[in-house]
Amino acid sequence: MSAESGTARPASDLAANVLELLRDILSDEPNWPAGSVSPSVEERLKLQRALVPPDGSDEGLAELSLWVASALQA
Amino acid sequence: MRGSPSSACGWQVHFRLEGDATRRDTGLRVISDIPNGGLQRLEGQNGIGKTLAVRLLELCTGRQPFLDRAASWATLRELLHQVTVTVEGLSTEDGHDAKTLTLELADSRDWPKEPEDVGEWLGHANLDGKSIPITSIRELLTVQRIGGDEALGESLAADLGRANERMRWLQRRQQMRHDAWGEHVAAVLRVTAAGTAFDLADLRETSATLQNEFGLFQSAATQAEQEAQNAAELGRLVQRAQDLLQTQPRIEAELAAAEAAERATVVALDGLDRQAAELLNKSHKAKEIRKRVDDLVPLQRKRQERRERRRLDLQAICRAADLSVPVDLIAADELGRNMREELEQLRQQRLSHDRAGLVLELVADVSRPVGRAVAGGLGDEVLAQLPAGPATVRDLEEGLERRRQGLQVGTSSAATKINDQISRLQGRLAAAARIADAVRLLGKAESDLTATRTEITEVLSELSRPEAQSYEQVNEQRAVLVDQLASYLQQKSTLEAELAELLSDGGEEELRQRVAAIGATLGLAVQYALKMSPEAADQRTRELAEVADDAHRRSVTAAQERDRAVQEVAAAESAVRAAIHQLRDDTLYGWLHQQVRIPPGDDSQILHNFLVRLHGAAQEVGDRLVESLNDVQAVEEAIDELQSRLNASARAGNIAGSRNLPLGAAVRRYYERQFADKLTADELRAALFDYGRDISVDLEEMTTSWTARNGTAQTRPLEAFSSGERAFAYTQVQLQQLAQGPQARNRVVFLDEFGAFVARERFDQLLRYLRHQALGSIADQIVLILPLRERLDEGQTAELKRRGGYVIKEVK
């Protein structure tokens, strides 16, 4: 499943930095948790990025709708 | 004002910090003035706010130095209040006039509670009076602090601390969406749960299967009932054939005898008539009397015949009313009353035992207007709000039809029995009602006959006595013969009726054919059917009736199960419609409509399928949300553990084994690579490893290994590297990284907490490096922050007093 951000935005430097760190670590152990069928690291990072609001005050329900729609089409 | 050019990009700048903290009236102190210069040396007392000023300047230029210092951030936010930072002498793109940057920081108590990326919350900025975005300052000016007070292990642990603060920051930033998304997904899961609680297609299939079973049982019952009727008819015809064989000859013989007696009586009557005529001819009044008698005798005959008909009528009515003859009218009245009471009781019984029949009538009554409403286009209108949900006109029409079918199955047997009893009783009552009239008519016929006989007697009395006596005798004999003739006629009529009844199903040959035909419907061979005894036919009838009853009971059970299945389907469809109604109209789910299309229309199967899929999708998104939180928390815990172990190792040489945390090994491997890369920087490689190569870090054993220049493998605990040994090299690395990072027009570096840890000879080496290799190429301005020396000259003492605890001068 994947969802492109409905409100594309540049991540802040800090967010980009910490998400990069997260990507590097998850890439080292992509099958965590053991036995799961988790999506790829990039897919996981997409959701991590989507959860960071651009201005700190938006629930981002348009994006949530997009994620549900993507899951429906999967 | 014009700054001092030091490089192609920036000039040396002058920092001023003015506000509550610099006036010492908030409990938080910050030094207020850092003049422009190249390589400067700032010496100050402890606690005057040297480091805080540098971190505040880092904050103003777009770096967030408090990410791993939540407590310091809280103190700063609480006590700093309002501060204005002025930076004079800035180089800009036009490269001519120096610019002045002014930042009017927002009241710190309005800043975010947790340290966040620098944004517009920090305050307002203007460049030479022209407003600029806070976030654009980082392109204009960089301020960076390099600390010199950490051992190698602590330095690496600090890196981990900063990384973990970033993780915590990420978690805080994600929390709002995480919570909000989780709640909304949970709401979708709740409303779509109706779609996963049952399989609508399965329920419908079950309902159809039960309907089919019901049809099969009903058909079997009908067939068995028909066969039972055929078997009964077969038994009756077999019995009739036997009766025919045994009785027909007797009846025909008796009929022949009655006809013979009738003929003889008629002959005798003719003789008596002639004898009577001769008697009358002898009298002188004969002509007149004969004429009168001739008139009365036919009337007497007619009245005799009428009386016989009345008598026979009364007998038939009494048989129909189940009364004995002669009739007792009082007893007949009593019987009529009893029959009427019994009829009323039967009708009441039908009310209580045949409620299904009444409901069936009600269903028929209600179905008519409902059918008209559906035909009129009102099928989708809600007619009733039931506990299970809204019911449309079409729902009601379909439900009534299903109920009608079920009632028809359940009512046939009991209703038929009661109705048969009522029908029979009504027949007896109708016959009983005719008894009084029949009795009256018989009495009248007898009375008329007596009157005619009396009149004949009176006419004959006019003859002479011997003539009259002779005629009377002849007439009496004649009356006797007439009665006999009537009796023979009655006997003949009865025999003819008996014969007609016996032959009502046909003669012997016809009976054989009918028996053979009915036997064939029961699967009986002709020979067997013709030889079948009435008792065997009765046995077969009872067996088939039991089969019919069993099939009937099964059909009733199937109908009940089918009705339950239909109700389940209706309840499921109602639940689906209610859930879809919520998804469509409840504002709680308004967000979903932005990207998710809810199927139009009211096809419950399509809507149910959608609910199931949406439930699965929401479940998947919910799982992904949990996974995302787990990812961040696992990394955070693993970094936290690694940081604790690294600190423990650096401070006390205590090497504890790592716990088996999720992602623990991945985090360790990641930082082993990161730290090895860091230590591979030329300056560190030279200072710490004597230009060794193949540097690696083992964060399980807390050691670093490398290949020495002579080719030998070396391993050394991390805590074995001193801060002084590291500080000079580490500073070079940091400065080199600054040179490689994004370039602002103006770059200022503060080297903080260096003096106490750097040996004198290395300090001079550091100064030379800074002056010749860093100043101008890496930074426009470098400020070394050191503890205050014990001895100050007069000018420095005055400056110390004027500045509030620190002095600053250019390093020559």
Side-chain angles (χ1 to χ4, degrees):
Chain A
M1 186 194 79
S2 67
E4 294 302 329
S5 171
T7 52
R9 63 184 186 280
S12 69
D13 289 348
L14 192 51
N17 177 285
V18 70
L19 289 173
E20 188 65 29
L21 170 61
L22 197 56
R23 170 189 282 113
D24 288 344
I25 291 172
L26 291 176
S27 298
D28 190 273
E29 201 168 322
N31 293 324
W32 181 86
S36 74
V37 286
S38 295
S40 70
V41 172
E42 287 308 315
E43 290 292 314
R44 288 155 81 172
L45 262 293
K46 275 182 188 169
L47 181 56
Q48 294 284 1
R49 194 175 300 115
L51 287 170
V52 182
D55 59 1
S57 62
D58 178 17
E59 286 190 336
L61 295 183
E63 291 196 54
L64 175 59
S65 179
L66 192 64
W67 279 89
V68 175
S70 295
L72 263 177
Q73 290 165 4
Chain B
M1 175 180 174
R2 209 178 155 76
S4 306
S6 64
S7 70
C9 292
W11 292 318
Q12 295 149 9
V13 296
H14 188 158
F15 295 101
R16 295 183 199 280
L17 295 89
E18 298 174 313
D20 297 338
T22 60
R23 292 192 296 270
R24 308 178 192 177
D25 53 4
T26 66
L28 186 72
R29 297 184 63 187
V30 180
I31 64 174
S32 60
D33 185 78
I34 302 170
N36 59 323
L39 178 59
Q40 295 170 295
R41 177 180 184 129
L42 188 156
E43 296 179 21
Q45 298 166 340
N46 288 331
I48 61 172
K50 303 186 293 293
T51 299
L52 181 56
V54 175
R55 288 192 167 130
L56 199 53
L57 291 174
E58 281 187 295
L59 186 68
C60 291
T61 54
R63 299 168 62 86
Q64 175 50 284
F66 291 95
L67 273 182
D68 56 346
R69 294 177 179 81
S72 299
W73 174 258
T75 303
L76 179 72
R77 183 176 173 277
E78 181 66 25
L79 300 178
L80 185 66
H81 297 184
Q82 291 188 321
V83 170
T84 299
V85 177
T86 306
V87 187
E88 297 170 342
L90 284 167
S91 164
T92 55
E93 287 185 358
D94 58 26
H96 297 300
D97 295 328
K99 303 283 186 182
T100 297
L101 173 70
T102 304
L103 285 104
E104 291 180 1
L105 302 187
D107 191 316
S108 61
R109 289 165 290 190
D110 295 330
W111 290 358
K113 289 185 178 177
E114 301 292 340
E116 281 192 7
D117 246 0
V118 173
E120 297 305 313
W121 53 263
L122 186 61
H124 301 288
N126 66 70
L127 190 62
D128 278 356
K130 185 178 179 182
S131 179
I132 61 170
I134 288 283
T135 50
S136 69
I137 295 174
R138 69 185 66 180
E139 298 165 9
L140 185 65
L141 171 65
T142 300
V143 172
Q144 183 166 0
R145 175 184 178 274
I146 299 174
D149 54 349
E150 296 166 333
L152 180 58
E154 289 175 312
S155 174
L156 299 180
D159 282 355
L160 291 174
R162 282 188 286 277
N164 228 358
E165 282 303 324
R166 283 169 169 74
M167 278 294 157
R168 282 192 273 274
W169 172 87
L170 179 69
Q171 205 172 331
R172 286 195 299 273
R173 282 296 296 270
Q174 290 180 332
Q175 185 168 0
M176 182 181 62
R177 283 194 174 188
H178 211 283
D179 292 348
W181 290 22
E183 287 176 12
H184 284 289
V185 165
V188 172
L189 284 173
R190 281 196 300 276
V191 78
T192 54
T196 58
F198 49 79
D199 185 331
L200 187 57
D202 190 45
L203 287 180
R204 282 186 164 147
E205 189 179 337
T206 301
S207 175
T209 302
L210 289 170
Q211 170 65 23
N212 189 42
E213 273 185 24
F214 163 70
L216 292 174
F217 284 129
Q218 198 177 35
S219 174
T222 303
Q223 183 180 350
E225 281 174 356
Q226 182 61 53
E227 288 179 351
Q229 286 177 6
N230 288 351
E233 179 68 1
L234 180 66
R236 190 183 70 79
L237 292 177
V238 167
Q239 182 65 56
R240 175 57 57 89
Q242 289 184 1
D243 291 347
L244 196 64
L245 198 62
Q246 294 170 0
T247 311
Q248 187 178 11
R250 176 186 60 79
I251 295 174
E252 286 176 347
E254 289 179 0
L255 190 59
E259 286 174 344
E262 178 194 357
R263 283 194 299 274
T265 305
V266 169
V267 171
L269 274 174
D270 286 345
L272 286 174
D273 284 345
R274 279 194 302 275
Q275 195 176 344
E278 287 171 3
L279 285 173
L280 291 176
N281 287 335
K282 291 176 183 175
S283 170
H284 61 280
K285 294 181 181 176
K287 285 185 181 177
E288 183 187 352
I289 291 171
R290 183 177 179 180
K291 182 177 181 304
R292 289 169 61 188
V293 171
D294 283 347
D295 289 341
L296 287 170
V297 167
L299 178 61
Q300 182 185 8
R301 285 180 184 167
K302 285 180 184 175
R303 287 185 170 177
Q304 277 179 324
E305 290 167 4
R306 187 174 69 185
R307 186 198 63 182
E308 283 307 307
R309 284 199 307 277
R310 299 299 188 207
R311 193 171 57 80
L312 291 173
D313 285 347
L314 181 59
Q315 284 178 346
I317 289 170
C318 285
R319 277 199 304 275
D322 204 16
L323 270 174
S324 61
V325 180
V327 176
D328 180 346
L329 284 178
I330 295 174
D333 283 346
E334 180 68 20
L335 181 65
R337 276 195 300 277
N338 291 341
M339 284 193 290
R340 279 190 292 276
E341 286 176 5
E342 189 180 352
L343 180 63
E344 183 58 27
Q345 286 173 356
L346 282 171
R347 283 174 172 158
Q348 290 298 327
Q349 199 175 350
R350 184 170 64 175
L351 274 180
S352 60
H353 286 81
D354 191 24
R355 297 185 72 82
L358 299 176
V359 175
L360 194 58
E361 291 176 14
L362 182 60
V363 167
D365 290 343
V366 176
S367 293
R368 281 189 286 275
V370 171
R372 284 198 299 274
V374 172
L378 297 176
D380 295 331
E381 296 298 324
V382 174
L383 186 63
Q385 197 67 45
L386 304 177
T392 64
V393 177
R394 183 170 287 105
D395 291 339
L396 187 59
E397 183 189 38
E398 293 170 0
L400 286 168
E401 174 57 22
R402 285 193 290 270
R403 185 64 178 140
R404 187 185 65 76
Q405 292 174 3
L407 286 169
Q408 281 181 333
V409 171
T411 57
S412 59
S413 180
T416 301
K417 287 179 182 173
I418 294 173
N419 285 332
D420 286 350
Q421 284 180 286
I422 289 174
S423 180
R424 282 196 299 274
L425 200 54
Q426 284 174 330
R428 288 178 63 199
L429 266 173
R434 293 168 56 203
I435 285 177
D437 276 348
V439 168
R440 181 179 58 75
L441 289 173
L442 177 59
K444 177 71 166 54
E446 285 182 339
S447 167
D448 289 347
L449 180 59
T450 302
T452 304
R453 282 179 174 169
T454 302
E455 195 174 354
I456 289 173
T457 302
E458 286 174 354
V459 171
L460 291 176
S461 66
E462 295 177 15
L463 294 174
S464 64
R465 187 169 183 82
E467 289 169 346
Q469 284 178 341
S470 298
Y471 190 85
E472 281 287 341
Q473 287 174 352
V474 171
N475 202 33
E476 283 175 4
Q477 290 173 8
R478 189 176 178 282
V480 170
L481 286 177
V482 167
D483 285 345
Q484 285 178 349
L485 181 61
S487 173
Y488 295 143
L489 287 173
Q490 171 64 33
Q491 188 179 357
K492 186 180 159 190
S493 172
T494 301
L495 288 168
E496 284 172 346
E498 195 175 348
L499 185 59
E501 164 63 18
L502 199 58
L503 294 170
S504 61
D505 291 307
E508 188 178 348
E509 181 55 31
E510 188 177 349
L511 278 176
R512 286 172 62 84
Q513 290 175 3
R514 291 179 66 182
V515 166
I518 293 177
T521 66
L522 296 171
L524 299 175
V526 176
Q527 297 84 346
Y528 182 78
L530 293 174
K531 291 178 182 175
M532 195 173 199
S533 70
E535 292 74 18
D538 285 347
Q539 177 64 26
R540 186 67 184 270
T541 301
R542 283 193 295 275
E543 289 170 358
L544 288 169
E546 285 178 9
V547 171
D549 284 347
D550 183 58
H552 181 68
R553 279 193 298 274
R554 286 171 184 264
S555 74
V556 169
T557 302
Q560 291 168 345
E561 291 177 355
R562 177 207 59 194
D563 287 348
R564 276 197 294 274
V566 167
Q567 286 173 358
E568 283 182 30
V569 170
E573 289 177 336
S574 177
V576 167
R577 279 196 290 271
I580 290 292
H581 176 69
Q582 277 190 282
L583 285 171
R584 281 175 177 160
D585 300 333
D586 194 329
T587 54
L588 182 62
Y589 307 101
W591 60 273
L592 194 63
H593 302 169
Q594 298 184 54
Q595 297 294 336
V596 174
R597 177 178 171 273
I598 298 172
D602 62 352
D603 186 317
S604 55
Q605 188 61 59
I606 291 174
L607 297 176
H608 176 257
N609 291 344
F610 171 75
L611 281 183
V612 171
R613 288 174 51 238
L614 181 59
H615 190 82
Q619 188 76 58
E620 183 175 345
V621 173
D623 290 346
R624 296 284 304 276
L625 285 171
V626 172
E627 286 173 3
S628 71
L629 188 62
N630 288 344
D631 283 350
V632 175
Q633 287 182 342
V635 170
E636 189 182 314
E637 286 177 18
I639 292 177
D640 197 48
E641 194 230 10
L642 187 57
Q643 183 190 12
S644 297
R645 292 179 55 243
L646 199 49
N647 271 327
S649 168
R651 289 169 189 157
N654 179 16
I655 303 172
S658 58
R659 289 184 291 148
N660 189 23
L661 290 174
L663 297 180
V667 165
R668 182 163 48 77
R669 287 192 294 268
Y670 172 79
Y671 279 104
E672 284 175 349
R673 292 192 298 272
Q674 289 288 310
F675 293 162
D677 287 348
K678 195 169 211 169
L679 295 176
T680 301
D682 287 343
E683 294 78 5
L684 286 173
R685 200 161 58 84
L688 303 181
F689 306 108
D690 191 22
Y691 296 102
R693 55 187 168 81
D694 304 332
I695 296 163
S696 63
V697 174
D698 184 340
L699 291 177
E700 190 62 38
E701 298 298 327
M702 295 301 171
T703 60
T704 179
S705 301
W706 69 97
T707 304
R709 281 194 292 173
N710 62 7
T712 58
Q714 304 285 324
T715 295
R716 191 175 179 188
L718 289 175
E719 75 269 16
F721 295 93
S722 71
S723 59
E725 188 177 24
R726 181 202 65 89
F728 173 57
Y730 190 68
T731 302
Q732 293 179 68
V733 172
Q734 296 288 84
L735 287 170
Q736 289 298 332
Q737 287 179 348
L738 181 61
Q740 293 164 5
Q743 297 296 299
R745 297 280 310 174
N746 304 274
R747 297 160 297 173
V748 180
V749 172
F750 290 86
L751 302 182
D752 197 8
E753 305 285 3
F754 267 69
F757 300 97
V758 181
R760 181 68 203 175
E761 66 277 14
R762 282 191 182 270
F763 190 72
D764 291 340
Q765 185 186 5
L766 175 63
L767 287 179
R768 283 196 298 278
Y769 169 78
L770 294 176
R771 184 181 295 116
H772 298 297
Q773 295 185 41
L775 189 62
S777 60
I778 296 175
D780 306 309
Q781 189 170 345
I782 300 174
V783 181
L784 277 137
I785 299 177
L786 301 168
L788 188 62
R789 285 179 293 183
E790 292 181 357
R791 293 180 182 177
L792 297 174
D793 60 25
E794 190 175 336
Q796 287 174 322
T797 303
E799 183 185 356
L800 185 73
K801 187 174 181 182
R802 177 170 56 79
R803 289 189 182 277
Y806 70 98
V807 296
I808 186 166
K809 68 175 183 180
E810 190 80 15
V811 178
K812 301 300 180 187

